[in-house]
Amino acid sequence: MNKFLLLILMLFSNLTFGNLIYANEIDLSKYQGKVIYLDFWASWCGPCKESFPWLNQLQKKFPDVKIIAVNLDKNKQDADAFLKKHPADFEIIYNPSASLGTQFKVKGMPYSIIYDRSGQAKFNHIGFSQKKADQYIQEIQSLREPKK
């Protein structure tokens, strides 16, 4: 396929190649009723390497939580190499234009936003530290519990 045509298609639609979904938008409303953990990452990000095994554990512990990780690398090969070393058991979106980073006001890497079941952003975190993992779990758990 012509590289120019592929670029045009990527800019105007969501495409899937391998395990990466190319996207310039995310429709979180299709996950209404679920807690969503939206994570922004890049291959050069040290704490991202630490967060991926934890996100895999999180997905296993809470299969009802939708985890979406958005890669902001300009070069897909960098994202692919990262994912070979740090495989993901959750959805990966590739956004080389970083338009989603701008839309969601990403302030650092990794950057995560945790949404409640109604789609409201409730928590966000800049960076990742295993020392704060219990806090992240408590936040997610609080949103999974039914309201009384």
Side-chain angles (χ1 to χ4, degrees):
M1 179 179 280
N2 179 315
K3 286 185 180 181
F4 179 73
L5 178 59
L6 179 62
L7 179 61
I8 296 299
L9 289 171
M10 285 173 25
L11 291 174
F12 295 105
S13 64
N14 294 344
L15 301 172
T16 303
F17 291 96
N19 66 342
L20 293 178
I21 299 169
Y22 284 81
N24 284 313
E25 60 184 38
I26 300 175
D27 181 10
L28 296 179
S29 68
K30 68 183 178 180
Y31 305 112
Q32 181 120 15
K34 289 187 168 221
V35 173
I36 302 167
Y37 189 101
L38 182 62
D39 184 70
F40 292 86
W41 64 282
S43 63
W44 49 262
C45 166
C48 298
K49 295 171 187 169
E50 190 179 341
S51 72
F52 265 56
W54 181 81
L55 288 169
N56 284 332
Q57 291 172 358
L58 181 69
Q59 188 65 83
K60 285 181 182 130
K61 183 173 183 163
F62 301 124
D64 59 311
V65 172
K66 180 64 180 176
I67 300 174
I68 305 169
V70 179
N71 175 267
L72 301 178
D73 283 312
K74 290 181 181 179
N75 184 336
K76 181 183 178 294
Q77 288 77 21
D78 293 337
D80 287 338
F82 179 98
L83 290 170
K84 281 184 183 171
K85 292 180 183 175
H86 311 281
D89 297 331
F90 44 86
E91 184 175 339
I92 301 288
I93 293 176
Y94 179 57
N95 181 234
S97 69
S99 61
L100 293 173
T102 302
Q103 177 185 342
F104 287 90
K105 298 176 175 58
V106 170
K107 297 170 179 66
M109 289 288 184
Y111 184 74
S112 59
I113 307 167
I114 305 171
Y115 293 86
D116 68 11
R117 293 175 182 275
S118 68
Q120 298 298 311
K122 294 296 184 180
F123 305 101
N124 62 61
H125 301 280
I126 301 170
F128 176 82
S129 169
Q130 195 66 46
K131 293 176 186 175
K132 292 185 176 181
D134 287 341
Q135 174 191 341
Y136 308 149
I137 295 282
Q138 288 174 359
E139 291 169 354
I140 291 165
Q141 186 63 37
S142 73
L143 299 175
R144 289 179 68 240
E145 294 171 355
K147 303 248 179 198
K148 297 179 181 178

